[in-house]
């Protein structure tokens, strides 16, 4: 009986210590402003993106042009490329892409990550060519805002299936 009690206490201790640090209430009920503030202050400590929906896109789009560098953000665990920093605006666009990918159950979706990394690649390059310059960011930000305003003329399903970067030279890596 003493062995059983010791075993039970050990299992209880392990389960308490190994709990994820994410509080589901914080992640699942997070609003855009809180998300942005946590990213800006490099205090976002979840391993995944928040469960935003298309209703959150207008609030996210306000930050599409932000150039601030962030260093503490969720990374796709399957990617072998480790980007230690990212522009806030680019990360916000990737978050919007996550909303779209989840809505259409994209084949590229891993957890809530819409691609391997929050960085653009040249669409038609023979070899993988990543781009992380001001011009590509501006083009992507413009493409997403145009995509959003076209929403008024589409059904929700057609809208989510349309790729914001379709008419650019870029795709998500």
């Amino acid at each position: 009986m003493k062995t059983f009690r010791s075993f039970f206490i050990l299992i209880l201790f392990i389960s308490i210590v190994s709990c994820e640090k994410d509080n589901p209430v914080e992640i699942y009920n997070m609003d855009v402003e809180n998300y942005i503030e946590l990213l800006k202050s490099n205090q976002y400590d979840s391993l995944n993106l928040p469960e935003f929906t298309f209703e959150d896109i207008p609030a996210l789009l306000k930050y599409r042009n932000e150039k601030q560098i962030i260093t503490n953000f969720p990374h796709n665990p399957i990617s072998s490329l480790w980007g230690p920093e990212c522009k806030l605006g680019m990360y916000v666009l990737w978050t919007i892409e996550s909303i779209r990918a989840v809505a259409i159950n994209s084949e590229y979706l891993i957890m809530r990550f819409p691609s391997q990394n929050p960085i653009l690649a040249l669409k038609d390059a023979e070899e993988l060519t990543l781009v992380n310059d001001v011009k590509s960011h501006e083009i992507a930000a413009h493409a997403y805002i145009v995509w959003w305003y076209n929403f008024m003329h589409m059904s929700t399903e057609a809208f989510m299936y349309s790729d914001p970067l379709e008419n650019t030279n870029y795709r998500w890596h």
Side-chain angles (χ1 to χ4, degrees), residues 1-14:
M1 188 60 133
K2 190 172 185 176
T3 305
F4 178 74
R5 185 182 307 164
S6 297
F7 179 73
F8 178 76
I9 290 172
L10 177 65
I11 295 297
L12 181 63
F13 176 76
I14 290 171

Side-chain angles (χ1 to χ4, degrees), residues 54 99-105 147-148 150-164:
F54 76 95
I99 296 167
R100 192 179 79 81
V102 168
I104 65 171
N105 196 23
W147 169 79
W148 179 250
N150 283 335
F151 172 62
M152 292 178 246
H153 307 291
M154 302 172 131
S155 70
T156 303
E157 184 176 334
F159 168 68
M160 287 300 186
Y161 275 96
S162 67
D163 179 1

Side-chain angles (χ1 to χ4, degrees), residues 127-140:
E127 293 185 19
L128 176 63
T129 306
L130 301 177
V131 287
N132 189 21
D133 57 18
V134 172
K135 184 177 179 177
S136 62
H137 183 172
E138 288 172 354
I139 290 170

Side-chain angles (χ1 to χ4, degrees), residues 105-139:
N105 196 23
S106 170
E107 65 183 291
Y108 303 108
L109 196 63
I110 303 293
M111 297 166 47
R112 294 190 67 83
F113 298 107
S115 67
Q116 288 189 38
N117 296 287
I119 190 167
L120 298 173
L122 289 178
K123 198 182 290 182
D124 296 325
E126 288 184 29
E127 293 185 19
L128 176 63
T129 306
L130 301 177
V131 287
N132 189 21
D133 57 18
V134 172
K135 184 177 179 177
S136 62
H137 183 172
E138 288 172 354
I139 290 170

Side-chain angles (χ1 to χ4, degrees), residues 60-85:
L60 286 163
L61 280 170
K62 289 191 256 179
Y63 301 97
R64 71 190 180 280
N65 295 312
E66 291 287 326
K67 306 290 190 261
Q68 178 182 342
I69 300 295
I70 58 173
T71 57
N72 192 19
F73 52 88
H75 293 79
N76 189 331
I78 68 156
S79 178
S80 60
L81 175 70
W82 180 261
E85 58 184 33

Side-chain angles (χ1 to χ4, degrees), residues 2 36 41-44 47-48 50 71 92 95 102 112-113 120 124 145 148 161 166:
K2 190 172 185 176
I36 297 297
S41 63
N42 288 310
Q43 295 180 346
Y44 188 86
L47 299 176
N48 208 349
T71 57
V92 165
T95 303
V102 168
R112 294 190 67 83
F113 298 107
L120 298 173
D124 296 325
I145 199 77
W148 179 250
Y161 275 96
E166 182 177 8

